[in-house]
Amino acid sequence: MTINFNIHQAVSLTTTNQPKAPIAPQQQVTDTDAKIEAEAEAEPEAIAAFTGEAQKSSPYSALLNPEGFDFSNMSINEFKGIVDAVRKLESDTQRASGNTESLRGTFWGDVMDVKGSLEGINFQNRGFSSSDKIDITAFFELGVKEAQQMRKEHPRSFSKVVGYARSSLSTVEKLTSESFIKEYQAKAVEFLKSQDTPLIKTQA
């Protein structure tokens, strides 16, 4: 059975009868009967193009993109780079303030769950590669649909999977919002300046 995503400049997301990549800790997506078609209604525009000064190369470069971000047409590799940059920045600023503990709080736990789900994707079963352009949010929306089907077919075994999937989707929606990206761009620049890092004007 196939689930087709008609996404702007994106590949189809395909499911088979094999277990899918986890969408939440210790959860796997099984075959579903749902068929979802998502079509881009208008040409999307990149958001949060970075126009300030930044280090030529830093662990946060994925955040400081002068071309902006189009999450409806982005590869898993690109999105993972952004997630890693956000986590690295938060961890570095925390350590710089004297707190050497791991990141705590519900949001950062949810970010780790999203990171884990990205690393666990079975690309062969999904029918696309980590470098193919897809709609990132639509991919996690699909995870919710699949989780609902799993719970419907096996309510005792997968009673919590829908909650995990919805939590991941909510976290992704926050990570891909323009306000969040701009907040962490400003935070990255401020932190780089505090470390006496030479900054240069970025160019698209």
Side-chain angles (χ1 to χ4, degrees), residues 44-58:
E45 294 183 0
I47 63 170
F50 182 71
T51 58
E53 293 182 337
Q55 189 178 10
K56 187 173 183 180
S57 178
S58 79

Side-chain angles (χ1 to χ4, degrees), residues 51-122:
T51 58
E53 293 182 337
Q55 189 178 10
K56 187 173 183 180
S57 178
S58 79
Y60 326 119
S61 295
L63 276 172
L64 307 177
N65 185 353
E67 296 181 356
F69 305 86
D70 181 0
F71 292 103
S72 69
N73 188 37
M74 179 177 287
S75 72
I76 292 294
N77 285 341
E78 290 172 303
F79 185 56
K80 283 172 63 177
I82 294 168
V83 173
D84 287 341
V86 168
R87 290 187 63 254
K88 172 70 173 170
L89 175 59
E90 189 70 17
S91 179
D92 287 349
T93 54
Q94 179 176 287
R95 287 191 175 92
S97 67
N99 186 348
T100 59
E101 295 183 357
S102 300
L103 295 179
R104 297 182 181 276
T106 301
F107 174 69
W108 295 109
D110 292 342
V111 170
M112 282 301 297
D113 290 345
V114 169
K115 179 177 170 62
S117 70
L118 294 172
E119 293 175 345
I121 295 172
N122 187 324

Side-chain angles (χ1 to χ4, degrees), residues 126-190:
R126 286 295 182 183
F128 66 96
S129 74
S130 61
S131 59
D132 285 329
K133 304 288 188 179
I134 66 168
D135 185 321
I136 297 297
T137 301
F139 178 73
F140 281 86
E141 289 173 344
L142 173 61
V144 173
K145 296 286 186 180
E146 291 177 327
Q148 290 171 334
Q149 186 65 24
M150 290 167 64
R151 186 176 63 181
K152 179 180 178 181
E153 295 175 353
H154 307 283
R156 296 182 63 182
S157 300
F158 298 106
S159 60
K160 297 182 179 180
V161 69
V162 175
Y164 290 139
R166 285 176 174 162
S167 177
S168 291
L169 173 59
S170 177
T171 302
V172 167
E173 288 174 339
K174 181 172 182 176
L175 288 168
T176 58
S177 68
E178 186 167 21
S179 59
F180 182 88
I181 294 294
K182 286 186 174 181
E183 175 187 348
Y184 272 80
Q185 286 175 337
K187 193 169 187 175
V189 172
E190 181 180 355

Side-chain angles (χ1 to χ4, degrees), residues 6-18:
N6 297 321
I7 304 171
H8 169 65
Q9 294 184 358
V11 298
S12 295
L13 305 183
T14 305
T15 64
T16 69
N17 290 326
Q18 300 296 323

